[in-house]
Structure formats: structure tokens, C-alpha cells
Amino acid sequence: MELSLIRSLMNKQFYDNHRGARCPDRLFGKDARKIKQTIDSAMSRYERTVTPDEVEALFISNNPSMTTAQKTAYAALFAQVKKEQPLGEDVAQEVLSKLFQQVVGEDVANIGFDFVNGTQTSLEPLRRLIEQYNDDFTPDLNVEWDDMDIETLLAKNDLEARWTFNIPSLTRQVEGINAGHLIEIGARPNTGKTSFHASLIASPGGLASQGANCIILCNEEGSHRVGARYLTAATGMTMKEIKSNPAKARDLYSPVKERIKIKDATGRDMAWVESVCKTYKPDVVLLDMGDKFARTGGFARPDEALKANAIHARMIAKQYECAVFYMSQLSAEAEGKVLVQVKLQKLTL
């Protein structure tokens, strides 16, 4: 690898990208280091790509006092260099970057040892080291910018309402949803939240009948109770009617059944939800209740945990290209309020 790097440094463009502090002589062994120093001299003098033969000729002319044994040893080393193929730009850059970080790491470690042993009492050498190499540890990026052509923008925005709602009063307010959307739905207890999302997804004209693959993750009511709501929504029958005529219910339910998956997610968190989305790639994910996927550990207040939980849900919608419905239970104490009041208690120490 060392000789391959030497061969790569003979290329002017590669050398310019890694010259000086980014490729210190310390990266190489004793013999290869002398060849690298010859390449440094040649690049400074000629400012062009040099060949292994040219570097060898310069090396010999600059070291006239070498013994016959040394000349023989370096001739063999140059013969190996000539056989080496230059590393690809990306591979060579990564290798040099790793070696360079190791060199700087050794410098930092040596300063630390000196500080521990008492031979160094100031952190000034560390500050100078950081200032010297700070830019070299900031990665250069090759960003592939998003396509912002008019045709692309028009095509993407035509899909903003890929899935429409089957409730006319709602459709008049919200045209529809698409991948990447986070839809938060809040309501007081016992106001029909589960029946509402069952109607949106399973009823005639709902998301499932439009072809959306839907996953419902419930952590409040049992999955069998939620499933019953979806069954009645899809068939338009009561559970009593379904029990009397299961064949009819089966026929009415079958067009959407395969696109609806329900799982009891009690005790699960948003990381588990993300794993489900990554594995099954749904079009629509419904979290009932979204707030109960939050983990409060590490947060000073419950509202901070809920905020982080909702942000995670938004990230899932965007990253896995699905629409996420986030059901939330509202408190009766918030009725009519627009400001959140936080009570602070003064502590006397």
C-alpha cells in the first residue's frame, strides 16, 4: 500500500489535493520517505505529473554519495514502484486520510502523556495542533443537488394528494395526503378517534380501497377491538349483523383486508415503529396512540419527550416515504385554552 501511495503521488492533481500537512513524510517508512521527498522537490520544480523513471533519475542525481549496495537497494525499490498501479482517487484519498488521522492522533497522545507525566504544563501545544489541522478534519462533500427543473417540480407536486379522504367535509378542507406527511389528530377521550381512522382507511373510498398499504399500530385498545372497528367500517355492518351473515361480511371485507395490517404495540417505542416501516414499507402508518410511543427517560419534562416523539414520527414519514397518522388524546383541562402555563416553585436552600 505504501508504494501504491508513492505511485499515486506522482500524479500532479492527486499531489496537489494532498500536499503538505495532509501528507506528511511521517506516513512513510525510511526508504519510501526519501522517494516521497524527491517527489516533493520534482513537483515544486516542474509543476507537472512525473513518471517513476523521472523520479528515480532525480533521486540518484540528488544522492551522489550513495554506496553501491544502497544504489542496488533503491533500484529494486523503484522497480517495485514501477510495477504498482496508482490507487483510485477515492481509495487513495481514504487511505491517506486514515493514515493522517493516525499521525495527528499520535501527536495528541504524546501531548497527553507529557501533560500526565508533568513534562508539559500548558495546553498551548494542543491548541496549536488543533488550529493547524482543524480544516483537515472537516470533510469535503460531494453533494448531489436535488432536481429543481420545472417539469420535476410539477410532477412532484401533482403527487401531493396521492391519497384522498372519503369524508366530503374533510376533503373540502384538506385535499389529501402523500408520502412524507405527518398528520396529527387530537380529540378528547371517548369521542370516536378509533372509529374515525377506521372510516378513513377501511370504509368504501378509503385509503385501503385506493390501494394504500396500511399498518395500524395500537397501544391503547386491544388489537381485536380495533380490528372489529375496521371490519364494521369496511362492511357497513354491525358486529351482530356480521355474526348472522359472515359470508357477506367476508365478501365485503376481502377487497381491503390484504392492505390492512393491525398489531398491538403496547410497550413499544418509536424506534420499533421505525423498524416496522423499514421492514414492511407501508404507504400509511397509523399510531393509536402516538403519544404512548414516547419514552420520557432523559427528558426534563414530559412535553419535551412528546415533542421528540413527534419529531421522530415526522422523520419516519420522510425517510421511509409513508404518511404517518399520529393520534393524540387531548385533555379536558385544555378546553378553550391557548396558552400553556408552567408553575414554578421557588426552592430555599
Side-chain angles (χ1 to χ4, degrees), residues 93-164:
Q93 183 171 344
E94 181 175 352
V95 171
L96 273 177
S97 177
K98 296 294 184 183
L99 292 175
F100 173 68
Q101 290 183 22
Q102 291 174 14
V103 167
V104 177
E106 290 177 3
D107 290 342
V108 172
N110 289 332
I111 293 174
F113 281 123
D114 291 342
F115 199 77
V116 170
N117 294 331
T119 57
Q120 178 62 255
T121 58
S122 171
L123 290 178
E124 180 62 20
L126 181 60
R127 186 188 66 81
R128 290 198 302 267
L129 191 68
I130 293 174
E131 289 180 351
Q132 180 180 357
Y133 294 124
N134 184 54
D135 290 341
D136 295 318
F137 285 88
T138 302
D140 294 327
L141 298 180
N142 183 16
V143 178
E144 184 176 345
W145 301 105
D146 293 337
D147 185 359
M148 291 291 112
D149 287 340
I150 293 178
E151 293 77 10
T152 303
L153 294 175
L154 290 175
K156 292 290 185 181
N157 283 279
D158 281 344
L159 295 175
E160 281 299 295
R162 180 183 179 188
W163 315 111
T164 58

Side-chain angles (χ1 to χ4, degrees), residues 43-60:
M43 289 294 177
S44 175
R45 184 181 305 175
Y46 304 112
E47 297 185 351
R48 64 173 176 83
T49 296
V50 292
T51 67
D53 288 329
E54 290 174 329
V55 174
E56 183 178 11
L58 288 170
F59 182 83
I60 293 174

Side-chain angles (χ1 to χ4, degrees), residues 2 21 51 77 96 99 128 143 163 167 178 207 252 283 294:
E2 184 179 60
T51 67
L77 188 59
L96 273 177
L99 292 175
R128 290 198 302 267
V143 178
W163 315 111
I167 301 175
N178 193 19
L207 302 178
L252 292 172
D283 297 308

